[in-house]
Amino acid sequence: MDSLLQRRRLEDMVDTDTIYFEAGAESLRGNGFTLVRAPGLEHLAAGCLAIRVDLSATAASARRWRLEFENAVRTAGGHRYRLYLTGRSPALETELLTHGYVQRFESMLVRDPERTPRGSAPVRLREIASAADWAEKVRIDSESTHAPDGHHVDARSWAEFERRKWQSGILHYFMINGANRTYGTVGIVRSDTIVRVKNLLLHPSWRGMGIATEVALAVHADASATGIPAGLFAAAGGIAERAYRRAGFRQIGTVSEFIREPSGQNSTGTPHN
């Protein structure tokens, strides 16, 4: 992949995350960042966080920027400090790590369209289109022991968070079906330039059986039909990343998440897609 195409793919991937976090939420402008807030769900890690961080705004004083960001989170009712960086800033990273933040890396993985992509016979994605379908999704997801968004949350709050994304029309959700069984659920964000996998959750009984790989292949085949790439995020070096690499996805870059939990207690969940 040439450098210009890779840069375009990186921008497309970051844009899908911005679209996802802003859907059904309030966006508040700060000094070189956008604070995304889901009213009533600020206690979720995804319910109040900073995106679109302009690193040039942090150059004069990383400490002053951090304090302004933390004050904005408190004012918005956030329960933790969380932000994403798509570039590197040694001064800001040092400032955050020195003050109790934990850094985690996520790989951006992409597979370009193909004329005759391999099909995905073991799984079928059935779109959730009704209130009854949605209730079934919530029931299935509540049985999962995996932390959505990489952070432990109560099932009811997470269901409401996802419902707002679904109602915005930006994110479509699907049942992951096999022969006479449902393996889990997955979200898909479509733009003019990429098809993005979000929030894949599998029932514990079906983990470690290659289902995530098959879901990635199914999404890739669907994206190829329209001539655009498929993409997803996964915790760098984690199980999900290995599953997606087996589906032919390759890393094109990374983003870093910084988070400081309440009372210094940091999440042990694993961020994914």
Side-chain angles (χ1 to χ4, degrees):
M1 185 182 296
D2 64 60
S3 59
L4 181 60
L5 180 59
Q6 178 162 326
R7 185 163 62 251
R8 187 181 308 129
R9 294 283 188 264
L10 286 167
E11 291 172 353
D12 291 343
M13 287 289 284
V14 171
D15 283 347
T16 61
D17 240 25
T18 300
I19 291 170
Y20 168 76
F21 282 120
E22 290 185 330
E26 295 179 352
S27 294
L28 311 171
R29 286 297 301 166
N31 176 24
F33 64 89
T34 297
L35 194 68
V36 181
R37 171 178 174 266
L41 298 173
E42 296 89 350
H43 61 289
L44 300 180
C48 189
L49 75 160
I51 57 175
R52 300 180 188 269
V53 176
D54 179 1
L55 293 177
S56 66
T58 74
S61 172
R63 179 178 183 276
R64 184 169 66 245
W65 187 92
R66 175 183 63 82
L67 292 173
E68 289 178 357
F69 159 66
E70 291 178 353
N71 181 63
V73 172
R74 289 192 299 271
T75 301
H79 289 213
R80 56 182 56 75
Y81 306 116
R82 184 187 184 192
L83 64 149
Y84 275 101
L85 300 183
T86 58
R88 298 302 306 272
S89 171
L92 178 58
E93 292 171 18
T94 298
E95 173 69 17
L96 295 172
L97 293 172
T98 300
H99 289 85
Y101 286 75
V102 169
Q103 182 180 25
R104 301 189 296 195
F105 293 95
E106 294 187 43
S107 297
M108 290 184 280
L109 305 167
V110 167
R111 185 169 178 181
D112 286 328
E114 299 170 0
R115 286 184 178 273
T116 55
R118 171 189 155 191
S120 183
V123 301
R124 179 174 62 87
L125 303 184
R126 179 175 67 82
E127 185 165 4
I128 294 168
S130 68
D133 288 344
W134 186 260
E136 178 65 5
K137 168 189 157 44
V138 172
R139 184 192 66 77
I140 292 169
D141 288 352
S142 67
E143 296 175 355
S144 174
T145 57
H146 197 73
D149 191 42
H151 302 276
H152 295 290
V153 298
D154 64 281
R156 179 174 297 182
S157 294
W158 182 252
E160 172 59 18
F161 179 81
E162 287 199 307
R163 187 184 67 82
R164 295 182 189 181
K165 306 299 180 186
W166 178 52
Q167 289 184 321
S168 75
I170 295 298
L171 191 66
H172 298 267
Y173 283 97
F174 298 80
M175 300 289 193
I176 305 168
N177 290 337
N180 302 316
R181 60 179 62 91
T182 298
Y183 298 122
T185 65
V186 65
I188 294 178
V189 176
R190 299 177 186 274
S191 73
D192 293 336
T193 56
I194 201 161
V195 176
R196 167 74 188 284
V197 179
K198 283 292 298 182
N199 299 343
L200 170 61
L201 281 179
L202 296 177
H203 189 278
S205 300
W206 301 107
R207 292 196 193 122
M209 301 180 69
I211 303 300
T213 297
E214 294 299 331
V215 170
L217 286 168
V219 174
H220 165 62
D222 179 66
S224 290
T226 58
I228 59 178
L232 42 83
F233 282 44
I239 294 173
E241 180 176 0
R242 294 194 292 273
Y244 300 140
R245 286 183 181 274
R246 286 194 293 270
F249 286 68
R250 58 178 173 171
Q251 181 183 3
I252 60 168
T254 60
V255 296
S256 56
E257 174 195 15
F258 286 86
I259 187 166
R260 198 175 93 194
E261 294 284 349
S263 304
Q265 299 299 312
N266 279 291
S267 170
T268 56
T270 303
H272 59 290
N273 47 75

